[in-house]
Amino acid sequence: MMTRSPPLQPASADDGSRLEDLVELIERLIDVVTEENIALAMGLPASQSQHTAIKLELSELFEAWVKEVGRKNMLLGTSDRQLQGRVLTRLEQLSVAMDENVTRLRAAIEASQRRIDAVMAAIREQISDNAPYGSNGRISAQSASYARNVRI
């Protein structure tokens, strides 16, 4: 599926290979986020996503690129207009995929919360059905009925 490996750090060559490495990293991020979006769309709980660790690793690498460029330690300029266009196109695709990912993750978290709420409500109901005392502190009818036919 994803056989390419990201650069461990931003590349330092001046011939456009930095941008090629950046494009490759962005493409890997898009792939992972898209795969996670598909899994979330199929109903996979967010906590069971296998993509989280990979996405985190790749996003940390991307963040390192952004910091280096922001500090002006690295210039990503090139005279290759086609390569510049690829970078911009991939960044736009990444933005769209990440927006969808945020929406799907929120929906998955809300679904998980609804499941938790339903389980907790069932537990509370089961406990209250078997409790010897009602909410008013008096012996419940079920508990009282068990003792009616007991003779000492």
Side-chain angles (χ1 to χ4, degrees), residues 114-132:
R114 285 191 302 273
R115 284 190 289 272
I116 289 168
D117 291 345
V119 168
M120 292 304 295
I123 290 171
R124 278 190 221 97
E125 184 178 321
Q126 186 177 15
I127 289 172
S128 68
D129 287 348
N130 296 326

Side-chain angles (χ1 to χ4, degrees), residues 39-54:
L40 292 170
M42 293 182 341
L44 179 73
S47 62
Q48 293 181 2
S49 174
Q50 303 166 359
H51 302 92
T52 305
I54 299 167

